[in-house]
Each structure stands twice: as structure tokens, then as C-alpha cells.
Amino acid sequence: MDTKHLFLVEGSGIPAILKMVMKKFKQPDFFFIIHWDKKQKQPDFSMYSNAVVIDSIPVYWGTDTQVLAERRLFEATKMFSNFEWVHLISESDVPLMRPDYFLEYFKNREFSDVEFDGYANQYNSRIKYYMPIRSLEFKNNFWGLNLHRVLKIVNKFLRVNRLKKFEMPIYKGSNWVSLNKCDLKKVIEFDDFKAFLNSSLADELYVQTILGEEFLDERIEEVRKDSRYMLKSSRFIDWNRGNPYEFKESDFLDLAIHLNTEYTFVRKIKSVILARKLLNL
């Protein structure tokens, strides 16, 4: 199969907004590969000819299951003989570009869209320590959060360091990325994938660490080493009002002014009404 853009969906919960996005982007240049959290009710996407659902695993926030799910999505792109870009999104992400503008924007874009947050090795404890937790979320889960804290203390006491032979600097950023085919190949073919397993919050280290120094060197004119974000992505996310903020219907005008600009997707959106209004612009 041939297409230009593959939307890789790491989904859970309610699929209504995703289905609206799939309908809006139903043309040969776009295709959706969907991984739906196995512990959630599996939606029916059979009526969508522009999508395929891959075998899924249960996903628990903060654990390495997030990395494993993303890995499955990246690997699934091999079923396509020719494409140009992949975009990792959730069921709560809505494009801030019309399909024709989206195509033109990425046609003229040279580098992958990857955020780099913080400096090298600032967050290496996320994969430095051994965290064999795969079925308890760290967020909003008393047992998961406290087990994570205890394991971290034990690792420090035992002086665990899984990075002794890992010679690459560790970088962090949002896991929601858009990769060109060349960078995707680097991620898929990375030899030491196991370094991101038995970890905590490693989904935010996975792509950034693999692309790392070479990627930053290529974009040296854009890198801001005096700022928290060395590189920002084109995703419209509000961290000032939430973690992140969930946009509401009352935010419509604030989002509408960014249509067909430099922002590719907005997240998070749970309001079906807001998503429909944005997609109908």
C-alpha cells in the first residue's frame, strides 16, 4: 500500500473524536494505524477503509507498556511500501490544519517534528533504574505510585545503574512526534531498544534519545540551549492551565485563530462538540 501520511494512533477510552478526524482525512494521502489499549473496550473501525487496527497490549500510564505500544505502531508501518511521514497521536488529538494545508505544510518541511525538553541526561533516572512494573499506573493510582517510589529507593540503595554501557546521552521530550521516513528507520532499527524497558516514563525518552545529538546538530540554528525547550514541536498543548490542559468548548475561538498556521495538532480535546467545530472550519 502507498500513502503519504500515516497517523499512528495510541488510543484508549472513547473513539468519537478520532472517528471524526478519520472521516475528515479520508483521502488516499492519509491512512490510520490504530493501537487501542487492550484493557479498554475495543471500538469498531470496520466501516473505515482508511484504517487498520493492530494487535494491542494493555497500556498503563508511566510504565514501559507505553513504549511497547509505540514500538508496535512504528513496526506496523512496514506494511506500507511507500510513505513520507508518520504522526503519533492519541484519540484526543485534533488536526489544526485542513487536509490540503497539512499536505503542503509537510511537503515543505525538512526535519522531523520532535520536542526536546531539558538538557542531556537530566532525566536519565527514568531508564537508569530497574522498574519491573507493567500493570500498575503511576498516575492516580495509590499502589502504583507508592510502589514506584519504593523501587526507586531500593535502586538507589543498591546503586543500580543500567546505563553503565549505554554511551548515548539521554534526552527527553513529548512522545507525540511526527517523523520523516529516515528518522523513523533510525528509531525502528535502534539496537538497544531493551534499554527503554522496565523503566518509568520512558516514552518521553524513546525517540529523543535515539535521534539525539545528530538530530540536534542538524538543527543547530533552532536549538536554544538557554531555554527549557531546546526544540519545541508544532503540537498545540497548554501546560500552563493543566497537565496538560483539556480544551473546552469555550476555547473554540482561541483555537480557531491557529487554524492553518504552524500548529499541526491540538491536544487534549475530549469535547466532541469542540472537535466537530474545529474540523468543520
Side-chain angles (χ1 to χ4, degrees):
M1 291 185 285
D2 289 348
T3 190
K4 289 184 178 178
H5 294 270
L6 297 174
F7 291 100
L8 310 182
V9 183
E10 189 177 346
S12 65
I14 300 173
I17 291 175
L18 172 61
K19 288 183 175 181
M20 288 192 291
V21 173
M22 293 167 67
K23 184 177 179 180
K24 180 73 173 183
F25 282 73
K26 191 175 182 179
Q27 56 180 267
D29 291 322
F30 304 101
F31 198 89
F32 293 77
I33 302 177
I34 302 170
H35 176 286
W36 207 264
D37 187 348
K38 196 170 185 176
K39 67 181 188 297
Q40 302 271 338
K41 181 180 178 181
Q42 300 300 295
D44 182 9
F45 294 103
S46 59
M47 66 179 291
Y48 295 90
S49 59
N50 61 334
V52 62
V53 180
I54 63 173
D55 290 339
S56 65
I57 61 172
V59 178
Y60 296 88
W61 189 91
T63 71
D64 64 358
T65 57
Q66 290 183 281
V67 181
L68 289 166
E70 290 169 14
R71 175 76 172 186
R72 286 190 175 215
L73 285 165
F74 291 149
E75 290 278 1
T77 62
K78 293 178 180 178
M79 70 179 76
F80 287 83
S81 56
N82 190 31
F83 61 90
E84 296 174 5
W85 287 87
V86 299
H87 312 277
L88 186 62
I89 64 173
S90 78
E91 80 293 336
S92 304
D93 295 357
V94 175
L96 270 179
M97 296 178 173
R98 297 190 186 99
D100 56 345
Y101 189 94
F102 192 96
L103 289 170
E104 191 64 22
Y105 175 86
F106 279 99
K107 179 181 178 181
N108 296 321
R109 186 180 179 101
E110 180 181 0
F111 298 110
S112 291
D113 187 19
V114 182
E115 174 192 279
F116 279 76
D117 173 8
Y119 51 85
N121 298 317
Q122 184 177 354
Y123 298 92
N124 64 0
S125 64
R126 295 186 179 190
I127 59 176
K128 174 182 177 180
Y129 299 136
Y130 182 68
M131 294 291 194
I133 309 173
R134 194 164 281 178
S135 57
L136 280 174
E137 294 191 2
F138 299 165
K139 189 177 183 181
N140 301 323
N141 184 298
F142 175 83
W143 296 110
L145 179 60
N146 283 283
L147 180 57
H148 175 265
R149 289 171 174 168
V150 169
L151 282 173
K152 194 169 184 178
I153 292 171
V154 171
N155 273 272
K156 287 182 176 180
F157 178 76
L158 296 176
R159 298 183 179 179
V160 173
N161 184 2
R162 300 168 63 210
L163 297 175
K164 285 181 179 179
K165 297 182 180 179
F166 194 84
E167 298 179 353
M168 300 170 63
I170 310 301
Y171 286 102
K172 171 188 172 290
S174 171
N175 61 312
W176 309 111
V177 298
S178 293
L179 302 177
N180 59 37
K181 197 170 184 179
C182 179
D183 286 333
L184 176 66
K185 187 172 185 288
K186 293 176 184 177
V187 172
I188 292 175
E189 294 181 354
F190 183 65
D191 289 334
D192 202 5
F193 173 70
K194 66 181 183 296
F196 301 101
L197 302 182
N198 296 304
S199 56
S200 62
L201 299 167
D203 60 307
E204 295 181 335
L205 311 180
Y206 179 30
V207 171
Q208 283 79 1
T209 297
I210 294 172
L211 298 184
E213 295 288 330
E214 182 180 354
F215 185 82
L216 291 170
D217 287 344
E218 288 175 345
R219 301 183 62 181
I220 191 65
E221 293 182 1
E222 301 173 59
V223 172
R224 297 179 58 189
K225 293 190 176 182
D226 59 340
S227 170
R228 170 184 168 177
Y229 293 96
M230 287 196 290
L231 280 177
K232 283 194 172 185
S233 78
S234 67
R235 310 292 173 110
F236 193 92
I237 305 173
D238 185 347
W239 291 102
N240 295 320
R241 292 184 288 174
N243 193 32
Y245 174 69
E246 184 179 309
F247 290 97
K248 300 175 176 60
E249 190 178 352
S250 58
D251 296 309
F252 170 70
L253 292 178
D254 292 333
L255 294 175
I257 61 174
H258 297 296
L259 180 72
N260 288 347
T261 58
E262 72 272 25
Y263 294 108
T264 51
F265 298 90
V266 54
R267 74 179 317 270
K268 286 181 166 182
I269 292 181
K270 297 289 188 181
S271 167
V272 172
I273 295 174
L274 175 58
R276 182 179 293 113
K277 290 172 72 172
L278 289 172
L279 290 168
N280 286 339
L281 284 173

